[in-house]
Structures are given as C-alpha cells and as structure tokens.
Amino acid sequence: MSEDIDRRLREAAEAHRPDRARMLARVERGMAGPAVRHRARPFARSGTRVALAALAAGGILTTGGLAVAAIVTTTSSPSPSATVTTPATPSPTVSSPHPTPARPTPAVPPPVTTPGSSRPTPPATSASPAAGESHNGPLWSTGSLGPKSTVYWTQSNLVLKTTQPLTALTVEIRIVQTGQAKNTGTWQTLPNGDFTVTVQEAGGALVYRWVLKPGLTVPAGSHEFAAQFNNGTGVRSAAGDGYRVDAQGPGGSASVRGGFVPTR
C-alpha cells in the first residue's frame, strides 16, 4: 500500500508544472490584502484519498515554495549591469603640532693662519756687511760689535757654529782703515796653540786671520773670535767692516761671510 502511494506521489510530483506567474500574483495579492480564509473541505472518509491528498498537497507546497523562493530571489537580485559606487572617504591628514625644524647646515669656517706656522726662510748663504748673519752647510755665523766698544776703541765679535767637526778652518776679519785704526789684539774661545794668528794691513784694511794648524780638528759646537783695535779720534762707522769663514769637514767645504752690527 505504502509503496503504491510513494510511486503515485513521485509520478504526480514529476508531472506537476507550476504556473509561476499565477503563483507570483497570488503571493502579491496575499501580501497586499487581508488574509483570506478558505473553507475547509469536508473530511474524506477514505484513508487512501486522504493520504493521497496530503502527499499531493505537500509536494505542491514544496514545489511551490521552491518556485516562490526562486521568483523572490530573481526579483530582489540587482541587475548585473548596475554598478554601485561607494564614495571614497578622504584619508585624514595628520600634522604634527610641533613640526621639527630643519637642521641648519653648519657654515664652513675660513682657514685660520697661525702666526709662525709657515716654514722659516733659511738665511742666505752669503750676507752683506750690514746683515751680520750667514748660513751654509754645517756652518752658521753672526757678527756684532762688542758691548764695551767706545768712540776710541772697538771689539768686533764673530760667533761661529758648526754641526760637524772641521778638519780645516780659516777665519778672517777685515777692518776698514780710516787712517787711525791700530791693532790692539785678538782672542778666541778655541786654544791659542791650535791656530796661526796674523794681523796685517792689506788693501786699505786691517786683516785679522786665524788658520787652523794642519792635523788638528775643530769640534762641533759654538766658537767665538774677536778683533780689537783703536779707532782714533771721532766716531767710527763699522759699515765697511766684514768677516769671512772657509771650512772643510766630512760633508765637504763650506763658507760663510757677513758684517758687524751694533749690539743693542
């Protein structure tokens, strides 16, 4: 019995073709107007008819519900051609309440020249009589008037420095002859026996000469030679006086010359 009912229900469900337009109109009328009460049909006495009617109603309702859902879905779905544009929300601009100031570019200071930073200019190899100072190779010399010199008497001093031992040395001081200049003596810081000392007039000058004896050596260091003489009467100028030194050492020969400047 139940199998026959199932078969008939399946056949009825497969043969059913719902009227979509009619069902949609009924749904719209139901939504717009008041609910309509239908008069209940009298109870069928036959169990078979009741069961078939219930199953058929269930299939119809199920199929109708699916159709209504499809219609509602189709009606409520937006058109694919419609484009919904959402207005863009502008991004807020965050500004710092205390902006960081730009770091200043440090100024480049001008070059500073330090006094005395330049390399000193070495003295000339030869000097005029007024210069008094000279330098050549291992030799350095300077000439000056002795602090005890007077208008009547003069001492001309020569300081000689050498950075190497000297195997030959000749020191010469020339004093311009004014007609009254007369030799009164010589002296040196090196031993007297190491030199041959002479004083003579030649070419209008008193010439004082120290010559190192052969085989002897002048050690490295500072040495001094002096020529003494009377001036005669009146003030005498030393502008024309001068000296010259010729030496020989391990590095070869060297020579210096210069004049005598007053001591202040």
mmCIF file of all heavy atoms in Angstrom, residues 21-52:
data_model
loop_
_atom_site.group_PDB
_atom_site.id
_atom_site.type_symbol
_atom_site.label_atom_id
_atom_site.label_comp_id
_atom_site.label_asym_id
_atom_site.label_seq_id
_atom_site.Cartn_x
_atom_site.Cartn_y
_atom_site.Cartn_z
ATOM 1 N N ALA A 21 3.692 32.583 -12.955
ATOM 2 C CA ALA A 21 3.032 33.893 -12.976
ATOM 3 C C ALA A 21 1.807 33.918 -12.071
ATOM 4 O O ALA A 21 1.579 34.884 -11.334
ATOM 5 C CB ALA A 21 2.632 34.246 -14.419
ATOM 6 N N ARG A 22 1.045 32.819 -12.125
ATOM 7 C CA ARG A 22 -0.163 32.766 -11.282
ATOM 8 C C ARG A 22 0.201 32.731 -9.812
ATOM 9 O O ARG A 22 -0.420 33.403 -8.990
ATOM 10 C CB ARG A 22 -0.996 31.525 -11.651
ATOM 11 C CG ARG A 22 -2.306 31.412 -10.912
ATOM 12 C CD ARG A 22 -3.074 30.217 -11.411
ATOM 13 N NE ARG A 22 -4.343 30.097 -10.714
ATOM 14 C CZ ARG A 22 -5.208 29.091 -10.908
ATOM 15 N NH1 ARG A 22 -4.929 28.132 -11.816
ATOM 16 N NH2 ARG A 22 -6.350 29.061 -10.235
ATOM 17 N N MET A 23 1.245 31.966 -9.495
ATOM 18 C CA MET A 23 1.657 31.881 -8.082
ATOM 19 C C MET A 23 2.217 33.220 -7.596
ATOM 20 O O MET A 23 1.972 33.635 -6.467
ATOM 21 C CB MET A 23 2.702 30.780 -7.917
ATOM 22 C CG MET A 23 2.159 29.377 -8.212
ATOM 23 S SD MET A 23 3.431 28.122 -8.093
ATOM 24 C CE MET A 23 3.800 28.249 -6.353
ATOM 25 N N LEU A 24 2.965 33.898 -8.443
ATOM 26 C CA LEU A 24 3.506 35.199 -8.049
ATOM 27 C C LEU A 24 2.385 36.197 -7.808
ATOM 28 O O LEU A 24 2.423 36.978 -6.859
ATOM 29 C CB LEU A 24 4.457 35.709 -9.130
ATOM 30 C CG LEU A 24 5.091 37.074 -8.868
ATOM 31 C CD1 LEU A 24 5.916 37.035 -7.589
ATOM 32 C CD2 LEU A 24 5.994 37.494 -10.039
ATOM 33 N N ALA A 25 1.342 36.147 -8.688
ATOM 34 C CA ALA A 25 0.218 37.061 -8.491
ATOM 35 C C ALA A 25 -0.498 36.768 -7.193
ATOM 36 O O ALA A 25 -0.888 37.682 -6.452
ATOM 37 C CB ALA A 25 -0.758 36.945 -9.681
ATOM 38 N N ARG A 26 -0.637 35.479 -6.874
ATOM 39 C CA ARG A 26 -1.297 35.117 -5.611
ATOM 40 C C ARG A 26 -0.466 35.588 -4.417
ATOM 41 O O ARG A 26 -1.004 36.042 -3.405
ATOM 42 C CB ARG A 26 -1.510 33.606 -5.556
ATOM 43 C CG ARG A 26 -2.528 33.095 -6.577
ATOM 44 C CD ARG A 26 -2.744 31.598 -6.454
ATOM 45 N NE ARG A 26 -3.279 31.281 -5.145
ATOM 46 C CZ ARG A 26 -3.487 30.020 -4.704
ATOM 47 N NH1 ARG A 26 -3.180 28.990 -5.494
ATOM 48 N NH2 ARG A 26 -4.006 29.793 -3.504
ATOM 49 N N VAL A 27 0.865 35.461 -4.534
ATOM 50 C CA VAL A 27 1.729 35.928 -3.422
ATOM 51 C C VAL A 27 1.602 37.429 -3.242
ATOM 52 O O VAL A 27 1.515 37.947 -2.140
ATOM 53 C CB VAL A 27 3.185 35.511 -3.690
ATOM 54 C CG1 VAL A 27 4.128 36.168 -2.683
ATOM 55 C CG2 VAL A 27 3.329 33.998 -3.614
ATOM 56 N N GLU A 28 1.601 38.166 -4.367
ATOM 57 C CA GLU A 28 1.498 39.629 -4.257
ATOM 58 C C GLU A 28 0.151 40.035 -3.676
ATOM 59 O O GLU A 28 0.051 40.970 -2.890
ATOM 60 C CB GLU A 28 1.692 40.251 -5.632
ATOM 61 C CG GLU A 28 3.129 40.119 -6.146
ATOM 62 C CD GLU A 28 3.284 40.712 -7.517
ATOM 63 O OE1 GLU A 28 2.259 41.101 -8.128
ATOM 64 O OE2 GLU A 28 4.447 40.812 -8.008
ATOM 65 N N ARG A 29 -0.977 39.324 -4.094
ATOM 66 C CA ARG A 29 -2.278 39.663 -3.526
ATOM 67 C C ARG A 29 -2.337 39.342 -2.052
ATOM 68 O O ARG A 29 -2.894 40.085 -1.251
ATOM 69 C CB ARG A 29 -3.390 38.850 -4.268
ATOM 70 C CG ARG A 29 -3.673 39.356 -5.671
ATOM 71 C CD ARG A 29 -5.023 38.817 -6.149
ATOM 72 N NE ARG A 29 -5.051 37.371 -6.117
ATOM 73 C CZ ARG A 29 -4.658 36.588 -7.116
ATOM 74 N NH1 ARG A 29 -4.225 37.137 -8.239
ATOM 75 N NH2 ARG A 29 -4.750 35.269 -7.025
ATOM 76 N N GLY A 30 -1.642 38.248 -1.688
ATOM 77 C CA GLY A 30 -1.626 37.913 -0.259
ATOM 78 C C GLY A 30 -0.865 38.937 0.556
ATOM 79 O O GLY A 30 -1.211 39.257 1.683
ATOM 80 N N MET A 31 0.197 39.487 -0.029
ATOM 81 C CA MET A 31 0.977 40.485 0.712
ATOM 82 C C MET A 31 0.258 41.823 0.762
ATOM 83 O O MET A 31 0.418 42.590 1.707
ATOM 84 C CB MET A 31 2.353 40.666 0.039
ATOM 85 C CG MET A 31 3.228 39.410 0.121
ATOM 86 S SD MET A 31 4.771 39.604 -0.795
ATOM 87 C CE MET A 31 5.497 40.929 0.163
ATOM 88 N N ALA A 32 -0.564 42.118 -0.271
ATOM 89 C CA ALA A 32 -1.227 43.420 -0.307
ATOM 90 C C ALA A 32 -2.534 43.439 0.478
ATOM 91 O O ALA A 32 -2.853 44.429 1.149
ATOM 92 C CB ALA A 32 -1.522 43.826 -1.760
ATOM 93 N N GLY A 33 -3.379 42.399 0.457
ATOM 94 C CA GLY A 33 -4.700 42.409 1.070
ATOM 95 C C GLY A 33 -4.768 41.578 2.336
ATOM 96 O O GLY A 33 -3.793 40.947 2.737
ATOM 97 N N PRO A 34 -5.908 41.575 3.001
ATOM 98 C CA PRO A 34 -6.067 40.791 4.237
ATOM 99 C C PRO A 34 -6.083 39.305 3.943
ATOM 100 O O PRO A 34 -6.309 38.873 2.816
ATOM 101 C CB PRO A 34 -7.408 41.271 4.798
ATOM 102 C CG PRO A 34 -8.154 41.757 3.601
ATOM 103 C CD PRO A 34 -7.157 42.350 2.672
ATOM 104 N N ALA A 35 -5.744 38.591 4.938
ATOM 105 C CA ALA A 35 -5.708 37.132 4.784
ATOM 106 C C ALA A 35 -7.095 36.604 4.456
ATOM 107 O O ALA A 35 -8.110 37.043 5.003
ATOM 108 C CB ALA A 35 -5.195 36.494 6.070
ATOM 109 N N VAL A 36 -7.170 35.676 3.504
ATOM 110 C CA VAL A 36 -8.452 35.083 3.063
ATOM 111 C C VAL A 36 -8.579 33.686 3.643
ATOM 112 O O VAL A 36 -7.647 32.884 3.493
ATOM 113 C CB VAL A 36 -8.516 35.019 1.522
ATOM 114 C CG1 VAL A 36 -9.831 34.407 1.074
ATOM 115 C CG2 VAL A 36 -8.335 36.404 0.914
ATOM 116 N N ARG A 37 -9.642 33.511 4.293
ATOM 117 C CA ARG A 37 -9.875 32.207 4.883
ATOM 118 C C ARG A 37 -10.583 31.301 3.867
ATOM 119 O O ARG A 37 -11.493 31.710 3.196
ATOM 120 C CB ARG A 37 -10.745 32.314 6.138
ATOM 121 C CG ARG A 37 -10.064 33.007 7.289
ATOM 122 C CD ARG A 37 -10.976 32.985 8.503
ATOM 123 N NE ARG A 37 -10.331 33.609 9.637
ATOM 124 C CZ ARG A 37 -10.891 33.710 10.841
ATOM 125 N NH1 ARG A 37 -12.141 33.234 11.054
ATOM 126 N NH2 ARG A 37 -10.246 34.303 11.824
ATOM 127 N N HIS A 38 -10.066 30.164 3.771
ATOM 128 C CA HIS A 38 -10.659 29.176 2.866
ATOM 129 C C HIS A 38 -11.474 28.166 3.686
ATOM 130 O O HIS A 38 -11.030 27.743 4.752
ATOM 131 C CB HIS A 38 -9.542 28.445 2.089
ATOM 132 C CG HIS A 38 -8.742 29.366 1.221
ATOM 133 N ND1 HIS A 38 -9.170 29.767 -0.031
ATOM 134 C CD2 HIS A 38 -7.546 29.982 1.450
ATOM 135 C CE1 HIS A 38 -8.260 30.567 -0.553
ATOM 136 N NE2 HIS A 38 -7.270 30.716 0.337
ATOM 137 N N ARG A 39 -12.536 27.844 3.117
ATOM 138 C CA ARG A 39 -13.397 26.884 3.800
ATOM 139 C C ARG A 39 -12.804 25.496 3.708
ATOM 140 O O ARG A 39 -12.372 25.057 2.666
ATOM 141 C CB ARG A 39 -14.801 26.879 3.162
ATOM 142 C CG ARG A 39 -15.790 25.972 3.866
ATOM 143 C CD ARG A 39 -17.138 26.073 3.208
ATOM 144 N NE ARG A 39 -17.048 25.629 1.809
ATOM 145 C CZ ARG A 39 -18.082 25.682 0.980
ATOM 146 N NH1 ARG A 39 -19.271 26.175 1.371
ATOM 147 N NH2 ARG A 39 -17.963 25.263 -0.280
ATOM 148 N N ALA A 40 -12.710 24.932 4.836
ATOM 149 C CA ALA A 40 -12.113 23.592 4.912
ATOM 150 C C ALA A 40 -13.026 22.597 4.226
ATOM 151 O O ALA A 40 -14.244 22.649 4.326
ATOM 152 C CB ALA A 40 -11.918 23.199 6.374
ATOM 153 N N ARG A 41 -12.396 21.753 3.487
ATOM 154 C CA ARG A 41 -13.143 20.710 2.799
ATOM 155 C C ARG A 41 -13.546 19.646 3.801
ATOM 156 O O ARG A 41 -12.871 19.396 4.770
ATOM 157 C CB ARG A 41 -12.283 20.081 1.719
ATOM 158 C CG ARG A 41 -11.969 21.046 0.570
ATOM 159 C CD ARG A 41 -11.159 20.325 -0.484
ATOM 160 N NE ARG A 41 -10.872 21.241 -1.587
ATOM 161 C CZ ARG A 41 -10.183 20.858 -2.660
ATOM 162 N NH1 ARG A 41 -9.758 19.598 -2.750
ATOM 163 N NH2 ARG A 41 -9.963 21.718 -3.636
ATOM 164 N N PRO A 42 -14.652 19.060 3.522
ATOM 165 C CA PRO A 42 -15.099 18.006 4.457
ATOM 166 C C PRO A 42 -14.126 16.861 4.483
ATOM 167 O O PRO A 42 -13.442 16.571 3.500
ATOM 168 C CB PRO A 42 -16.456 17.609 3.889
ATOM 169 C CG PRO A 42 -16.416 18.004 2.450
ATOM 170 C CD PRO A 42 -15.608 19.265 2.384
ATOM 171 N N PHE A 43 -14.005 16.298 5.635
ATOM 172 C CA PHE A 43 -13.070 15.209 5.869
ATOM 173 C C PHE A 43 -13.451 14.023 5.017
ATOM 174 O O PHE A 43 -14.599 13.586 4.989
ATOM 175 C CB PHE A 43 -13.106 14.826 7.361
ATOM 176 C CG PHE A 43 -12.167 13.703 7.661
ATOM 177 C CD1 PHE A 43 -10.814 13.928 7.714
ATOM 178 C CD2 PHE A 43 -12.648 12.408 7.843
ATOM 179 C CE1 PHE A 43 -9.949 12.905 8.020
ATOM 180 C CE2 PHE A 43 -11.766 11.385 8.142
ATOM 181 C CZ PHE A 43 -10.402 11.629 8.213
ATOM 182 N N ALA A 44 -12.447 13.598 4.251
ATOM 183 C CA ALA A 44 -12.679 12.441 3.376
ATOM 184 C C ALA A 44 -12.641 11.182 4.208
ATOM 185 O O ALA A 44 -11.743 11.026 5.038
ATOM 186 C CB ALA A 44 -11.637 12.399 2.266
ATOM 187 N N ARG A 45 -13.628 10.329 3.962
ATOM 188 C CA ARG A 45 -13.707 9.119 4.752
ATOM 189 C C ARG A 45 -12.688 8.094 4.309
ATOM 190 O O ARG A 45 -12.227 7.295 5.110
ATOM 191 C CB ARG A 45 -15.120 8.509 4.630
ATOM 192 C CG ARG A 45 -16.209 9.399 5.218
ATOM 193 C CD ARG A 45 -17.544 8.734 5.071
ATOM 194 N NE ARG A 45 -18.617 9.587 5.651
ATOM 195 C CZ ARG A 45 -19.917 9.244 5.641
ATOM 196 N NH1 ARG A 45 -20.322 8.108 5.080
ATOM 197 N NH2 ARG A 45 -20.838 10.057 6.176
ATOM 198 N N SER A 46 -12.346 8.153 3.075
ATOM 199 C CA SER A 46 -11.432 7.118 2.594
ATOM 200 C C SER A 46 -10.031 7.470 3.008
ATOM 201 O O SER A 46 -9.516 8.570 2.736
ATOM 202 C CB SER A 46 -11.528 7.028 1.090
ATOM 203 O OG SER A 46 -10.570 6.134 0.604
ATOM 204 N N GLY A 47 -9.338 6.549 3.684
ATOM 205 C CA GLY A 47 -7.950 6.802 4.130
ATOM 206 C C GLY A 47 -7.007 6.974 2.965
ATOM 207 O O GLY A 47 -6.077 7.764 3.010
ATOM 208 N N THR A 48 -7.296 6.247 1.934
ATOM 209 C CA THR A 48 -6.388 6.343 0.782
ATOM 210 C C THR A 48 -6.473 7.698 0.149
ATOM 211 O O THR A 48 -5.464 8.318 -0.178
ATOM 212 C CB THR A 48 -6.750 5.262 -0.245
ATOM 213 O OG1 THR A 48 -6.687 3.986 0.379
ATOM 214 C CG2 THR A 48 -5.826 5.309 -1.445
ATOM 215 N N ARG A 49 -7.712 8.201 -0.009
ATOM 216 C CA ARG A 49 -7.869 9.526 -0.615
ATOM 217 C C ARG A 49 -7.272 10.615 0.256
ATOM 218 O O ARG A 49 -6.666 11.554 -0.229
ATOM 219 C CB ARG A 49 -9.365 9.781 -0.857
ATOM 220 C CG ARG A 49 -9.959 8.818 -1.899
ATOM 221 C CD ARG A 49 -11.441 9.066 -2.062
ATOM 222 N NE ARG A 49 -11.686 10.438 -2.518
ATOM 223 C CZ ARG A 49 -12.898 10.962 -2.629
ATOM 224 N NH1 ARG A 49 -13.973 10.272 -2.291
ATOM 225 N NH2 ARG A 49 -13.046 12.197 -3.076
ATOM 226 N N VAL A 50 -7.433 10.443 1.562
ATOM 227 C CA VAL A 50 -6.849 11.458 2.474
ATOM 228 C C VAL A 50 -5.347 11.478 2.373
ATOM 229 O O VAL A 50 -4.683 12.515 2.322
ATOM 230 C CB VAL A 50 -7.305 11.182 3.929
ATOM 231 C CG1 VAL A 50 -6.562 12.095 4.878
ATOM 232 C CG2 VAL A 50 -8.796 11.403 4.049
ATOM 233 N N ALA A 51 -4.780 10.298 2.367
ATOM 234 C CA ALA A 51 -3.309 10.222 2.306
ATOM 235 C C ALA A 51 -2.793 10.777 1.004
ATOM 236 O O ALA A 51 -1.809 11.500 0.950
ATOM 237 C CB ALA A 51 -2.882 8.761 2.491
ATOM 238 N N LEU A 52 -3.456 10.405 -0.126
ATOM 239 C CA LEU A 52 -3.001 10.925 -1.418
ATOM 240 C C LEU A 52 -3.117 12.438 -1.483
ATOM 241 O O LEU A 52 -2.226 13.122 -2.006
ATOM 242 C CB LEU A 52 -3.847 10.288 -2.531
ATOM 243 C CG LEU A 52 -3.604 8.789 -2.786
ATOM 244 C CD1 LEU A 52 -4.599 8.266 -3.837
ATOM 245 C CD2 LEU A 52 -2.186 8.555 -3.254
#
